[in-house]
């Protein structure tokens, strides 16, 4: 069983920054994709950013230029640096990892408010 633990969420003012972390219980090399999704109340879960085996990345149009996904293989951790956060971006942020299965963590809450 794979465990994914997201952290780093919290309250930030509009225009502020946060860095989310996702620690995996095994080597992240073993996953085909790892990424970040978010789900706001009453809305569907949506892709924010994704790392694909081989090194390519994929971002939602709404976060391009503001969010950066990265990885630390030695720590089995994936990060999401979020800059210039907008008031419409509060959500629970999840870090799924995929091999033959898709694994989800418990999520971390991000609140954007002045």
């Amino acid at each position: 069983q794979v465990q994914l633990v997201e952290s780093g969420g919290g309250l930030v003012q509009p225009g502020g920054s946060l860095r989310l972390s996702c620690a995996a219980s095994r080597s992240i090399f073993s996953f085909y994709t790892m990424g970040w999704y978010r789900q706001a109340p009453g809305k569907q879960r949506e892709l924010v950013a994704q790392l694909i085996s081989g090194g390519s990345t994929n971002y939602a149009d709404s976060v391009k230029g503001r969010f950066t996904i990265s990885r630390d293989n030695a720590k089995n951790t994936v990060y999401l640096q979020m800059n210039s956060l907008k008031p419409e971006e509060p959500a629970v942020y999840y870090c799924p990892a995929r091999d033959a299965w898709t694994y989800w963590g418990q999520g971390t809450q991000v609140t954007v408010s002045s």
Side-chain angles (χ1 to χ4, degrees), residues 80-91:
L80 184 68
Q81 177 67 43
M82 305 187 295
N83 298 327
S84 302
L85 280 159
K86 300 180 179 180
E88 63 267 27
E89 290 181 311

Side-chain angles (χ1 to χ4, degrees), residues 1-4 22-34 71-78 97-99 103:
Q1 183 70 18
V2 174
Q3 291 188 329
L4 299 166
C22 174
S25 60
R26 74 178 201 213
S27 172
I28 59 176
F29 277 118
S30 64
F31 298 115
Y32 177 68
T33 65
M34 291 194 73
R71 62 196 294 166
D72 185 330
N73 296 326
K75 296 181 178 179
N76 292 330
T77 299
V78 174
R98 184 165 71 91
D99 49 24
Y103 308 94

